[in-house]
């Protein structure tokens, strides 16, 4: 089983914070798209990963022998699973990136970006 620490997770969230700050500084749209593509990949992007992580967390809590079972636990686990599905449903944002790339690539003159 891989060992993951709270620092590993903080590193991931720090990276997302840096990306957000970078995007707030109005970078070239082509460069921004390049950074967003892995984040919104339809198979391995953040929506899929976060949904999978929430489901795994719910399962870990529910299956642990020392977890006190009862209606409250099942309600909380159901909320985690609902949130997981809501996150996973965002997988189709990669289509938005595809459409945005096409739109920016078709822009005339200096507004045209270097989208791949």
């Amino acid at each position: 089983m891989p060992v993951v620490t709270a620092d590993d997770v903080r590193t991931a969230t720090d990276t997302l914070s840096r990306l957000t700050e970078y995007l707030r500084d109005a970078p070239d749209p082509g460069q921004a798209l390049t950074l967003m593509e892995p984040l919104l990949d339809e198979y391995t992007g953040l929506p899929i990963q976060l949904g999978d992580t929430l489901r795994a967390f719910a399962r870990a809590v529910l299956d642990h022998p020392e977890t006190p079972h009862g209606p409250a636990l099942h309600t909380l686990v159901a909320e985690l699973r609902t949130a997981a599905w809501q996150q996973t449903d965002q997988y189709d944002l990669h289509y938005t990136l595809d459409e945005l790339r096409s739109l920016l690539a078709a822009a005339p003159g200096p507004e045209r970006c270097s989208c791949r």
Side-chain angles (χ1 to χ4, degrees), residues 50-69:
L50 185 54
D52 287 348
T53 300
L54 288 169
R55 276 188 284 283
F57 176 56
R59 186 173 38 255
V61 169
L62 190 60
D63 291 348
H64 196 276
E66 294 181 19
T67 300
H69 287 266

Side-chain angles (χ1 to χ4, degrees), residues 3-116:
V3 176
V4 178
T5 67
D7 284 339
D8 294 332
V9 176
R10 277 189 210 94
T11 298
T13 59
D14 287 347
T15 300
L16 285 173
S17 294
R18 289 185 10 244
L19 174 60
T20 301
E21 288 301 314
Y22 172 78
L23 293 172
R24 287 182 180 148
D25 287 337
D28 172 75
Q31 292 173 352
L33 275 170
T34 298
L35 293 172
M36 292 302 295
E37 284 173 335
L39 191 64
L40 296 177
D41 182 86
E42 71 181 298
Y43 301 110
T44 60
L46 187 59
I48 299 299
Q49 294 295 326
L50 185 54
D52 287 348
T53 300
L54 288 169
R55 276 188 284 283
F57 176 56
R59 186 173 38 255
V61 169
L62 190 60
D63 291 348
H64 196 276
E66 294 181 19
T67 300
H69 287 266
L73 173 67
H74 291 283
T75 298
L76 294 170
V77 166
E79 288 177 15
L80 287 170
R81 289 178 174 158
T82 297
W85 281 112
Q86 290 169 342
Q87 292 302 311
T88 303
D89 283 346
Q90 299 302 312
Y91 83 95
D92 62 354
L93 284 170
H94 74 277
Y95 292 122
T96 303
L97 289 185
D98 291 344
E99 292 173 17
L100 185 56
R101 184 183 312 99
S102 296
L103 177 73
L104 292 171
E111 297 172 7
R112 186 179 189 129
C113 78
S114 57
C115 307
R116 53 171 202 138

